[in-house]
Amino acid sequence: MEHITLLLAIVVVTALVFDFTNGFHDTANAMATTISTGALKPKTAVAMSAVLNLLGAFLSVEVAKTISKGLVNETGIQPEVILAALVGAILWNLVTWLVGLPSSSSHALMGGLIGATVASIGFSGVNGESVVTKVLIPAVAAPIVAGIAATLGTRLTYAIGKGKNGKAQQKGYRAGQIASAGLVSLAHGTNDAQKTMGIITLALVAGGVLAPGSNPPVWVIVSAGTAIALGTFLGGWRIIRTMGKGLTDLQPQQGFAAQTSAATVILASSHLGFSLSTTHAVSGSVMGAGLGRKGGVVRWSTATRMFVAWGLTLPAAGLVGAGAEFVARQGQWGVYVVAAFLVASCVGIWLVSRRQVVDHTNVNDVETATATATETETPGVVTTAIAAVTPPPAGSVAAVADTDLKATIPAPNPADPAAPAAPAAAV
């Protein structure tokens, strides 16, 4: 580490800041459903997730290798490019956190890196095949695979528990949720913490500290794991609220199925070296769990906003990264300007967030406007199709259907002797 220059030190610190934002941005991936169903108290949940994120960072370096060796060409990459990429990723993370949208920190990082690399040395610096096979295809496949698995898992849990004691069942699935949430946290550490390890390793190679093709040093693994754990403990309460309450209403059975499905997909991708978005996997599994319960409804207005954010992540972070690289390459003063811009933007976003605070005391509260919109939202095409093959259970949904049926029957005409008698008033 004695050969690290001031510029390289700035890049490493900025990378750890990104890792910190990744931690609190993606806490919802592991703990939103556990918190929303009451399986764990909010502060206990994020503390548990933080510890397991730290442990997960030491389990594998396959994803770090994908970032440091496979995504862009190491030759010709300068530390300024890495700094610019991190600026794009951090700002996108903070903007989506401010509005409570669970976007992909992974794709923000990769978008910033691609944009900064193209601005620096052109499209030849990007390994297109790696981008397609290890980034874009997993981005599309992950929510679909996790969603299908969660849908089937949810139906299976309800089928197994049919006719059994309700309270005992709820208690058992809450315990299962805690275990599966821990598994997701561990998986998150094996996947997302490694992305920062990879970006720091790439910066060290660009700065001449490491030879091309080197694995992350131990100090990089430790610092990246610690940064993401601290961010996780802080808790991204805004996104936890969206994931836990905004997409669908989950029961413990659904939460267990969603988290187990997501953890399986994330761990498999980490083993294969795919730089998977844990946000995509968990969001897909939550929606799948919502569709898997009879009468369950996914709030597609919220899901649509989330899909739009997913589509904008790579290009938005890439544009910011390209602009930051253009300024940073002007010389030392350019690096300072980029760093100052990042700090000022972070402070500004934090000040805006203080206007409406969301923390562990109100994370499960649903605002009146949101609740009203949810109650009046028409079920989407997918929800309607699922409902057609899985009739809703007796209760609120059935009652609504009965009300809708009565509304279609015209009121009796007293002048018509053939008209049926009006139903007796309920006592």
Side-chain angles (χ1 to χ4, degrees):
M1 294 178 62
E2 62 271 16
H3 301 295
I4 294 182
T5 63
L6 176 61
L7 171 59
L8 203 51
I10 292 175
V11 172
V12 171
V13 170
T14 307
L16 294 177
V17 170
F18 164 77
D19 206 23
F20 180 81
T21 66
N22 190 356
F24 74 74
H25 193 278
D26 289 0
T27 306
N29 294 340
M31 291 298 169
T33 58
T34 305
I35 292 172
S36 68
T37 60
L40 281 176
K41 293 182 179 180
K43 294 295 287 184
T44 304
V46 297
M48 170 181 153
S49 183
V51 172
L52 292 171
N53 263 321
L54 178 60
L55 293 177
F58 292 90
L59 295 183
S60 171
V61 293
E62 293 302 317
V63 175
K65 292 177 182 178
T66 297
I67 296 292
S68 64
K69 303 176 186 178
L71 197 60
V72 297
N73 188 353
E74 295 172 325
T75 305
I77 295 294
Q78 299 299 316
E80 291 88 342
V81 174
I82 312 301
L83 175 64
L86 290 166
V87 169
I90 291 171
L91 291 182
W92 184 253
N93 269 358
L94 292 179
V95 168
T96 50
W97 163 77
L98 180 65
V99 296
L101 286 177
S103 68
S104 171
S105 298
S106 309
H107 288 183
L109 176 61
M110 289 180 280
L113 182 59
I114 292 170
T117 300
V118 170
S120 176
I121 60 178
F123 286 97
S124 61
V126 179
N127 297 328
E129 184 178 353
S130 291
V131 172
V132 172
T133 59
K134 293 200 171 185
V135 177
L136 296 181
I137 292 178
V140 176
I144 296 175
V145 173
I148 293 173
T151 300
L152 297 177
T154 299
R155 293 190 177 186
L156 180 62
T157 58
Y158 278 106
I160 293 174
K162 188 175 182 180
K164 295 183 180 179
N165 183 279
K167 291 185 178 180
Q169 207 179 145
Q170 297 283 334
K171 185 177 180 180
Y173 277 113
R174 282 196 174 93
Q177 265 197 285
I178 295 173
S180 60
L183 189 59
V184 173
S185 296
L186 194 68
H188 185 257
T190 65
N191 202 285
D192 278 41
Q194 289 186 56
K195 291 154 190 170
T196 300
M197 296 177 204
I199 208 74
I200 293 176
T201 302
L202 182 59
L204 295 175
V205 170
V209 177
L210 295 177
S214 298
N215 288 334
V218 174
W219 69 267
V220 171
I221 297 175
V222 172
S223 58
T226 303
I228 199 170
L230 289 174
T232 301
F233 182 71
L234 181 65
W237 304 112
R238 293 171 181 271
I239 300 176
I240 289 175
R241 172 182 283 184
T242 300
M243 290 281 281
K245 295 291 186 181
L247 280 175
T248 186
D249 293 318
L250 295 179
Q251 296 178 356
Q253 294 94 321
Q254 295 168 280
F256 173 73
Q259 289 171 311
T260 304
S261 303
T264 302
V265 171
I266 295 167
L267 287 173
S269 69
S270 297
H271 178 71
L272 296 173
F274 291 148
S275 186
L276 179 73
S277 166
T278 56
T279 300
H280 288 190
V282 174
S283 299
S285 67
V286 168
M287 288 186 285
L291 293 173
R293 176 170 63 89
K294 292 182 179 181
V297 174
V298 173
R299 300 182 182 105
W300 293 109
S301 59
T302 302
T304 300
R305 291 171 55 230
M306 186 176 66
F307 294 151
V308 170
W310 289 3
L312 291 176
T313 298
L314 280 170
L319 287 173
V320 175
E325 194 282 332
F326 175 79
V327 176
R329 86 165 81 122
Q330 305 305 315
Q332 195 172 35
W333 68 268
V335 173
Y336 294 150
V337 168
V338 169
F341 170 73
L342 176 61
V343 172
S345 299
C346 292
V347 172
I349 292 172
W350 181 80
L351 291 175
V352 171
S353 73
R354 296 298 89 191
R355 296 176 180 175
Q356 185 177 9
V357 178
V358 179
D359 56 22
H360 67 282
T361 63
N362 62 358
V363 66
N364 280 332
D365 295 344
V366 180
E367 297 171 354
T368 303
T370 304
T372 302
T374 299
E375 291 169 0
T376 59
E377 183 173 20
T378 303
V381 176
V382 178
T383 302
T384 304
I386 295 293
V389 295
T390 54
S396 59
V397 177
V400 171
D402 184 57
T403 301
D404 292 340
L405 179 62
K406 290 178 180 178
T408 62
I409 302 175
N413 183 358
D416 185 2
V427 178

